[in-house]
Amino acid sequence: QAKLRNRGGHRFFEARMGADVRDRSLMERQLRDAVRNRELTLVYQPQLDVGSGNVTGFEALLRWTHPTRGSVAPDLFIPIAEESDLILPIGEWSMEQACRNAASWTCPLSVAVNVSAVQLHSADFVGRVERILAETGLDPKRLEIEITETALIRDPVRALSALQQLKAAGVSIVMDDFGTGYSSLSNLRSFPFDVIKIDRSFMSAADRNEQNAAIVRSVLGLGKGLAMRVVAEGVETAEELDFLRREGCHSAQGYLIGRPAAIEDYADLTGAADGAKERFSLAS
Ligand code: C2E
Ligand code: MG
Ligand code: MG
Ligand code: MG
């Protein structure tokens, strides 16, 4: 510590740190208000069954629009919500909203909700999910819970027990951002995952980039061997989707298929008019 102080430039470093810490605590206060002021919303991004070309479900994604900051990216505010435990009320709100919304659709499409480590390890997490399912009347088979590998390492025994209980209740468990964490393979064996979601960094130009192609192929092989469905996220081009179809990938999600948007924008898929489904039939 003393050594660091004697070095030149520390002041700049400290000033930057100070500004960063101040902004984080400001953002934490604003996030607290955001919950009360209803500044948080959920957007939904469709998932495509690659073989049939039908949309089979949606991933719910949080959006925060602050009155002066404007829209704040989840990658920025979710970590702050996690550090302050604000993720608990926020996460419960998202889960409740997503389930209530999905229960109102006339098509029984699935809904995937992201769950952070703090939530997964919180007291009575499973009980709360079960309560939400009961209250909203959503069939547990339509709910998917997306967790990243980092969510498992804090307390693997507790995480395993929570995931086993959810699975027993009929909920599907998705490993999100697969390939970016560590010890991925043993996690696939030790935890009751139903779905592997390949991180979008491996999708970029997977049709032309041999390294990405090899990684995607091997994850598909892994999914096949372990009887897990594989979802590719971040699919942006028709060539990437063609590649996935050739390689036998089950599901795809990405800007090509649909941007995250208000659920009203996808009313043609969630219920009502059948004809509009054609719009998303990218296969064949
Ligand atoms: P994620 O769960 O891996 O979500 C996928 C992210 O990829 C989303 O970013 C989505 O908008 C983006 N994406 C989808 N398709 C494409 C594409 O074709 N190209 C590109 N470049 N990006 C695409 P978003 O919405 O900014 O969310 C970022 C992360 O924040 C999520 O990553 C998730 O980890 C977290 N997050 C979002 N909503 C929630 C939530 O309700 N609860 C928790 N705990 N975390 C959330
Ligand atoms: Mg996700
Ligand atoms: Mg992901
Ligand atoms: Mg992510």
Side-chain angles (χ1 to χ4, degrees), residues 126 129-130 133 139-143 145 159-173 191-194:
V126 177
V129 174
E130 286 176 334
L133 285 167
D139 181 352
K141 290 195 178 64
R142 292 176 55 200
L143 178 64
I145 282 183
L160 178 62
S161 148
L163 294 180
Q164 280 171 336
Q165 289 175 68
L166 287 167
K167 196 178 169 116
V171 175
S172 297
I173 317 293
F191 294 90
F193 288 103
D194 303 284

Side-chain angles (χ1 to χ4, degrees), residues 59 61 114 146 176-177 197 233:
E59 177 177 8
L61 294 159
N114 293 284
E146 296 197 0
D176 204 351
D177 301 349
K197 224 171 170 181
E233 66 179 7

Side-chain angles (χ1 to χ4, degrees), residues 93-154:
W93 177 85
S94 319
M95 179 74 69
E96 222 263 341
Q97 284 286 309
C99 291
R100 189 172 302 287
N101 210 310
S104 76
W105 304 340
T106 52
C107 295
L109 304 171
S110 63
V111 68
V113 179
N114 293 284
V115 167
S116 84
V118 182
Q119 289 174 271
L120 187 65
H121 292 92
S122 67
D124 197 33
F125 173 68
V126 177
R128 267 176 291 181
V129 174
E130 286 176 334
R131 217 147 38 234
I132 288 171
L133 285 167
E135 277 168 21
T136 59
L138 183 72
D139 181 352
K141 290 195 178 64
R142 292 176 55 200
L143 178 64
E144 295 177 357
I145 282 183
E146 296 197 0
I147 52 173
T148 57
E149 280 176 275
T150 36
L152 303 170
I153 54 178
R154 179 186 294 198

Side-chain angles (χ1 to χ4, degrees), residues 71-82:
S71 110
V72 187
D75 286 330
L76 218 66
F77 74 81
I78 298 278
I80 291 173
E82 284 173 339

Side-chain angles (χ1 to χ4, degrees), residues 45-47 59 61 176-177 197-207 212 216 231-241 244 251-258 260:
Q45 186 177 34
Q47 293 182 344
E59 177 177 8
L61 294 159
D176 204 351
D177 301 349
K197 224 171 170 181
I198 310 177
D199 190 71
R200 70 165 189 260
S201 57
F202 301 115
M203 260 329 290
S204 78
D207 53 305
N212 281 352
V216 172
V231 182
E233 66 179 7
V235 179
E236 294 184 352
T237 69
E239 289 74 23
E240 289 165 1
L241 185 63
L244 292 173
S251 310
Q253 185 181 338
Y255 294 166
L256 174 73
I257 294 131

